[in-house]
Amino acid sequence: MKKVFLACCLTLLLSGCDKPKVDASTDEAMKASLQKVKESLPEEKRQEFSEATSTIVTNSIDMKAMMAGAFSGNGDTIATQQAEKAKAALNGKTGEEIISEAKVILAERAQKEQQQALQEIA
């Protein structure tokens, strides 16, 4: 009986490991894996996933570095570095992990905005 229970637990544990993850090794692989991850989510979470992906990518890009690169003539190099940084922010994550990370980012932004507003009032 214990062996059957153990086998069932192991099966359930391993079945949770097959969720698709983002593969950012190439642009094509990333595009395909993002689509797979999105399709693996329930219909009601797909829009949230798209928004979360945008939030993480936007958060990972350093706009100051982009502007500095544009003015210094290193725009292409800086843009490539920023694109790699954005890919790394998504690489290896499941849809649920991406949504969770975006929620943390948005909560931190809201907290910073609230602190700034309180400072301006004071």
Side-chain angles (χ1 to χ4, degrees), residues 5-64:
F5 178 73
L6 211 61
C8 288
C9 287
L10 185 61
T11 302
L12 287 174
L13 181 66
L14 293 176
S15 68
C17 296
D18 67 343
K19 292 181 181 179
K21 295 181 179 183
V22 176
D23 174 13
S25 58
T26 65
D27 290 341
E28 295 80 23
M30 186 165 169
K31 185 176 179 180
S33 64
L34 281 170
Q35 188 63 34
K36 275 186 185 177
V37 170
K38 185 176 182 178
E39 289 172 357
S40 74
L41 294 170
E43 187 69 38
E44 64 273 4
K45 288 210 171 207
R46 291 180 183 176
Q47 181 63 34
E48 186 178 10
F49 171 76
S50 295
E51 292 168 4
T53 303
S54 296
T55 298
I56 292 172
V57 168
T58 303
N59 190 62
S60 67
I61 295 174
D62 182 357
M63 291 307 290
K64 288 181 185 178

Side-chain angles (χ1 to χ4, degrees), residues 31-120:
K31 185 176 179 180
S33 64
L34 281 170
Q35 188 63 34
K36 275 186 185 177
V37 170
K38 185 176 182 178
E39 289 172 357
S40 74
L41 294 170
E43 187 69 38
E44 64 273 4
K45 288 210 171 207
R46 291 180 183 176
Q47 181 63 34
E48 186 178 10
F49 171 76
S50 295
E51 292 168 4
T53 303
S54 296
T55 298
I56 292 172
V57 168
T58 303
N59 190 62
S60 67
I61 295 174
D62 182 357
M63 291 307 290
K64 288 181 185 178
M66 294 285 285
M67 295 301 287
F71 288 119
S72 69
N74 294 333
D76 291 340
T77 303
I78 300 296
T80 301
Q81 290 172 347
Q82 294 300 314
E84 291 302 318
K85 189 176 171 184
K87 286 180 185 180
L90 295 173
N91 192 37
K93 292 189 170 88
T94 65
E96 289 297 331
E97 290 171 337
I98 289 172
I99 291 170
S100 294
E101 185 174 334
K103 285 180 182 178
V104 170
I105 291 168
L106 293 173
E108 289 172 354
R109 282 185 194 167
Q111 185 178 12
K112 285 179 185 177
E113 288 173 4
Q114 184 181 20
Q115 287 174 349
Q116 286 176 340
L118 290 173
Q119 287 176 350
E120 288 176 12

